[in-house]
Amino acid sequence: MTGELVTQRLCLRPWRREDLAALAHINADPRVMKHFPGTLSEAESLAAIERFQAHDAQHGFAPMAVTLRDSGTVIGSIGLQYPAFVAAFTPCIEAVWRMDADYWGQGLASEAARAVLADGFERLALDEIVAFTTPANQSSWRLMERVGMQRDPGADFAHPRLPPEHPLSQHWLYRLRR
């Protein structure tokens, strides 16, 4: 099971059912979900928490709640997971993140991502962690680059859960090796 990760300003911990309102708020924000097929309902956010908990129980890691150390306020989700689809680069471990738009631009996502990546390489002894996003999601791929990930243009792909003609279908793949 995933424990807590503590950074200078943040505490990353497993998701709890009582975090639903915070995650539902983040997932319902069109700014946050701009590069996803759509916003998520409260029921879909609850299902996500349940998936995170099951993934953690099965694998010992999962996306975690990102909280401010000084207040405990949930401001995002970040962690590692197995992608739920098959592609040329799977199986793999993927780094994922989603932050409340009110906390963008403060370096919090980078701080949390560095902690998660370090945990993946140290505690989990992973050899590689990947991340992917649409080319239009500059905030996400710039975060990947800030934390040392490098794009693998030969592995870019059409997301198998979207129709090929969908504007979000094309994805860039980034890798980070231990």
Side-chain angles (χ1 to χ4, degrees):
M1 295 287 290
T2 303
E4 289 188 352
L5 300 176
V6 179
T7 69
Q8 181 180 353
R9 299 178 289 172
L10 304 170
C11 177
L12 287 67
R13 59 162 175 76
W15 282 97
R16 304 174 190 145
R17 190 176 180 95
E18 58 265 26
D19 297 324
L20 176 57
L23 185 60
H25 167 77
I26 293 165
N27 287 338
D29 187 332
R31 297 170 297 171
V32 173
M33 302 302 286
K34 179 179 180 181
H35 300 288
F36 290 88
T39 58
L40 301 180
S41 69
E42 186 172 301
E44 290 167 317
S45 294
L46 177 58
I49 289 174
E50 291 169 349
R51 275 193 315 276
F52 299 155
Q53 291 170 335
H55 193 285
D56 191 30
Q58 182 175 2
H59 302 291
F61 61 90
M64 297 182 284
V66 179
T67 66
L68 296 174
R69 278 183 64 184
D70 62 357
S71 66
T73 302
V74 176
I75 63 165
S77 179
I78 190 163
L80 302 174
Q81 66 182 14
Y82 284 100
F85 60 84
V86 175
F89 57 89
T90 62
C92 63
I93 306 296
E94 171 195 13
V96 297
W97 43 75
R98 192 171 297 168
M99 299 292 284
D100 186 320
D102 292 340
Y103 295 91
W104 290 355
Q106 300 175 38
L108 296 167
S110 296
E111 186 175 324
R114 285 186 182 95
V116 164
L117 294 170
D119 184 58
F121 291 127
E122 294 165 13
R123 180 178 66 89
L124 301 172
L126 300 174
D127 292 323
E128 179 181 71
I129 298 170
V130 303
F132 45 84
T133 192
T134 64
N137 192 348
Q138 184 177 12
S139 296
S140 189
W141 58 257
R142 289 188 66 178
L143 173 59
M144 295 171 197
E145 292 174 354
R146 275 195 304 279
V147 299
M149 300 186 106
Q150 295 182 343
R151 184 171 168 220
D152 180 356
D156 292 348
F157 66 102
H159 200 292
R161 292 196 158 178
L162 294 171
E165 67 279 359
H166 194 283
L168 299 175
S169 173
Q170 188 59 37
H171 277 65
W172 286 353
L173 183 78
Y174 281 74
R175 299 179 185 273
L176 183 63
R177 292 186 169 88
R178 187 187 335 195

